[in-house]
Amino acid sequence: MTTVAQSANERCGWSVPLGELEGISLIDHLWNRLSGTYGGRWLKDFPDMLSIENWKTAWAEALDEDRVTPQEVAEGLRTCRRMFPDWPPAVGEFIRACRPGLI
């Protein structure tokens, strides 16, 4: 089952390592930014590597399905600091934060 999820995740551009991000993928960069923003509040929900990989797969698929662009993700991170200052957003909340003009 993990192999299928990884294959689906690899088909979307969110999992491809990028030179401009020093060889990490967009989804890893997003993980790092959310982890840096929310610290322990973020990390407490991910007790092991499987839970982290499941998060990456689910969010990469959601971002890909909703055709969220990296520029919109940057906006989403800025918006989250205002909309969700105390607690990390769920994927749907984050996607809405990426497109604040549509809320």
Side-chain angles (χ1 to χ4, degrees), residues 22-57:
E22 299 180 11
I24 68 169
S25 67
L26 289 168
I27 201 66
D28 286 330
H29 182 66
L30 178 56
W31 167 270
N32 292 342
R33 294 294 304 276
L34 290 168
S35 177
T37 299
Y38 294 104
R41 292 168 289 174
W42 176 256
L43 296 174
K44 77 167 193 58
D45 288 334
F46 304 98
D48 54 39
M49 287 306 295
L50 181 59
S51 63
I52 293 169
E53 291 306 315
N54 287 340
W55 177 90
K56 289 179 184 180
T57 298

Side-chain angles (χ1 to χ4, degrees), residues 65-103:
E65 286 172 8
D66 285 2
R67 294 184 174 93
V68 177
T69 67
Q71 294 77 19
E72 289 174 319
V73 166
E75 178 62 30
L77 289 166
R78 284 188 296 273
T79 302
C80 280
R81 289 192 297 266
R82 291 186 304 275
M83 289 177 61
F84 308 105
D86 300 322
W87 203 255
V91 69
E93 293 170 325
F94 183 78
I95 290 172
R96 285 190 300 278
C98 290
R99 298 171 174 161
L102 301 178
I103 297 175

